[in-house]
Amino acid sequence: MQLYEELVARGLIAQVTNEEEIREMINHGKATFYIGFDCTADSLTAGHFMALTLMKRLQMAGNRPIALIGGGTTMIGDPTGRTDMRKMLTKEDIDHNAACFKRQMERFIEFGEGKAQMVNNADWLLNLNYVELLREVGACFSVNNMLRADCYKQRMEKGLSFLEFNYMIMQSYDFYHLFQHYDCNMQFGGNDQWSNMLGGTELIRRKLGKDAHCMTITLLTDSQGNKMGKTAGNAVWLDPNKTSPYDFYQYWRNVEDADVLKCLRMLTFLPIEQIQEMDGWEGSELNRAKEILAWELTNLVHGQEEADKAQAAAKALFGGGGDRDSMPTTELTGDSFSDGEIGILNLLVACGLASSRGEARRLVQQGGVSVNDEKITDIDRKFGCELFQGDGAIIKKGKKVFHRAVMD
């Protein structure tokens, strides 16, 4: 099976332009393609996995990836899927986030001469002359067509700013610039980006002629993309300081039954035939498939040693062994205690198991919290500092989240 056919078999391809030409280029290593990453945080999330593993697959087949850092577009903010306006970041924030992104991307793709490139669209977008842009690029876009685009629908309901309205033009200009200056002939993105991406293809053809060989491919649907990489409203980060390897493993170990094979196909490098053999697995076999998924993805991001440790800790915990050393741990300081005690709500917040006392209160009231195997139902329950000395205390949230708290 050649690469393009494999991408289809893995369920990665949503919409394409010029399918025959795309198939030829990808299968013979002739594509120079880009995927954009807006730098809205200092770490990539599990939601970026689709893009990262795709870049790796294509590079392994001889194609050349361009990781486009959105230093310019991040200053505007993509309205796609948003009901509110994104936070405005400074140039310093964006530069810092971009440097963090590259370190994480290097686990997936190889940068260097003749290999993958990382470029920043701030290098060309921030120097554009506004009147010149309006004349040269703005004339190629129909406002009527832009307003019909899916990427603007949600924001139109609450008010789309003129700043955000320009995002499609900026993203389209990126492909136009990369096509001219980096020999980039293909762009990939989420299926919810289809309108924005078609804008780039059309801009190239209107400016450079209809015979310009530029192609667009979209992956995974918007709903799947929004779902992937988030749990209980919080992002699942690739940075181990934000999401520990154990928590990262547990996130994938706990995916819904209906999503296991889909994630194995889309995100891992296991042979498609091996994944197909899992079709129809139930019960303990399906749990085994989840363990395979969790280990494979933790290995990709954090390495084999951390993947093995996370898997061993999970098996020990759920088997009753309680591997404390491999468990996510919070060191409580003296400031965490008042008169030598800490309340359950403050404890949950301090350990990152709740984002606020309000959320912690709901967890306790719903019966979802235990400390050292004792179910806690009293929101005013307090614990003495001696409980956290030595090996510390084990806090359990729900059925599958374990955390250790120790005295500093």
Side-chain angles (χ1 to χ4, degrees):
M1 185 183 299
Q2 292 188 290
L3 179 57
Y4 183 80
E5 287 70 26
E6 182 179 349
L7 298 180
V8 172
R10 288 182 179 274
L12 289 166
I13 305 299
Q15 300 184 76
V16 301
T17 62
N18 315 78
E19 184 173 35
E20 289 305 316
E21 193 168 5
I22 287 172
R23 177 185 285 109
E24 169 69 17
M25 296 184 71
I26 286 178
N27 286 345
H28 293 88
K30 298 177 181 178
T32 297
F33 67 96
Y34 93 89
I35 298 179
F37 299 83
D38 275 354
C39 312
T40 52
D42 60 1
S43 173
L44 297 167
T45 73
H48 290 104
F49 246 126
M50 189 71 64
L52 296 173
T53 55
L54 176 76
M55 295 171 86
K56 183 178 178 71
R57 292 183 208 279
L58 290 167
Q59 187 177 47
M60 290 169 62
N63 300 287
R64 293 184 61 192
I66 296 175
L68 176 65
I69 296 299
T73 42
T74 301
M75 290 189 170
I76 295 176
D78 183 2
T80 304
R82 302 285 296 187
T83 57
D84 58 353
M85 191 167 167
R86 292 186 186 274
K87 177 185 175 183
M88 301 288 283
L89 301 178
T90 66
K91 184 177 184 301
E92 290 71 26
D93 290 334
I94 293 169
D95 289 345
H96 170 72
N97 294 347
C100 295
F101 278 20
K102 185 172 183 181
R103 287 195 296 272
Q104 293 174 353
M105 289 178 182
E106 286 173 339
R107 291 198 64 91
F108 292 83
I109 56 177
E110 187 176 357
F111 291 94
E113 186 69 28
K115 298 174 183 175
Q117 293 176 272
M118 175 175 279
V119 298
N120 190 329
N121 64 15
D123 293 341
W124 55 86
L125 292 182
L126 299 188
N127 296 322
L128 287 174
N129 178 287
Y130 185 61
V131 173
E132 180 181 353
L133 178 69
L134 287 177
R135 287 176 58 87
E136 297 298 317
V137 178
C140 298
F141 286 82
S142 162
V143 172
N144 291 345
N145 289 338
M146 292 174 71
L147 290 176
R148 285 195 290 267
D150 289 340
C151 59
Y152 291 138
K153 285 182 178 178
Q154 282 186 289
R155 293 292 291 122
M156 285 288 288
E157 294 175 4
K158 292 193 175 183
L160 176 71
S161 72
F162 183 71
L163 179 71
E164 296 169 290
F165 186 64
N166 280 270
Y167 190 91
M168 181 186 291
I169 295 175
M170 297 293 96
Q171 182 171 338
S172 299
Y173 190 87
D174 282 342
F175 194 18
Y176 176 59
H177 182 90
L178 292 171
F179 183 86
Q180 288 186 294
H181 299 279
Y182 292 86
D183 296 324
C184 179
N185 50 32
M186 197 174 295
Q187 59 177 337
F188 284 83
N191 198 34
D192 55 323
Q193 292 284 321
W194 180 247
S195 298
N196 285 353
M197 295 169 69
L198 280 183
T201 302
E202 292 304 312
L203 176 60
I204 291 171
R205 289 174 177 165
R206 290 193 65 171
K207 299 295 293 182
L208 304 177
K210 292 184 178 180
D211 292 332
H213 293 281
C214 55
M215 285 138 279
T216 296
I217 302 179
T218 60
L219 308 165
L220 82 161
T221 64
D222 181 34
S223 58
Q224 181 68 16
N226 288 337
K227 179 180 178 181
M228 192 177 295
K230 293 185 178 181
T231 177
N234 298 315
V236 178
W237 305 98
L238 304 195
D239 183 343
N241 296 314
K242 290 177 172 286
T243 298
S244 72
Y246 173 82
D247 285 335
F248 187 84
Y249 176 94
Q250 282 298 103
Y251 169 73
W252 296 106
R253 171 62 181 80
N254 295 327
V255 298
E256 296 178 6
D257 291 356
D259 292 333
V260 180
L261 292 188
K262 181 190 298 181
C263 290
L264 281 165
R265 283 194 301 267
M266 289 181 165
L267 305 179
T268 75
F269 289 82
L270 294 175
I272 193 71
E273 296 81 8
Q274 181 179 346
I275 299 169
Q276 288 171 341
E277 291 175 359
M278 302 179 193
D279 191 18
W281 282 12
E282 297 179 354
S284 61
E285 284 188 324
L286 189 58
N287 286 332
R288 172 59 182 151
K290 293 182 180 182
E291 291 175 355
I292 292 171
L293 171 68
W295 189 93
E296 290 291 334
L297 298 187
T298 306
N299 177 44
L300 272 174
V301 175
H302 300 296
Q304 181 176 341
E305 181 179 355
E306 291 295 338
D308 287 342
K309 286 170 59 178
Q311 188 170 70
K315 288 184 176 181
L317 283 168
F318 294 109
D323 186 353
R324 293 171 179 250
D325 292 337
S326 299
M327 199 180 303
T329 300
T330 294
E331 294 184 355
L332 302 173
T333 65
D335 294 338
S336 304
F337 296 85
S338 176
D339 296 329
E341 294 182 320
I342 184 171
I344 183 61
L345 304 187
N346 289 338
L347 178 61
L348 291 171
V349 173
C351 293
L353 296 174
S355 59
S356 66
R357 283 175 54 87
E359 182 184 347
R361 179 189 298 269
R362 288 190 293 274
L363 285 171
V364 173
Q365 291 174 333
Q366 292 167 2
V369 176
S370 64
V371 177
N372 284 349
D373 292 328
E374 177 191 353
K375 189 173 184 178
I376 307 300
T377 57
D378 181 1
I379 61 172
D380 295 318
R381 178 68 180 275
K382 295 182 179 181
F383 303 93
C385 59
E386 65 277 2
L387 182 71
F388 306 97
Q389 295 172 351
D391 290 337
I394 303 300
I395 306 161
K396 184 179 178 183
K397 183 178 79 169
K399 296 181 179 180
K400 300 178 180 179
V401 176
F402 291 82
H403 198 94
R404 182 170 67 136
V406 300
M407 282 288 293
D408 187 1

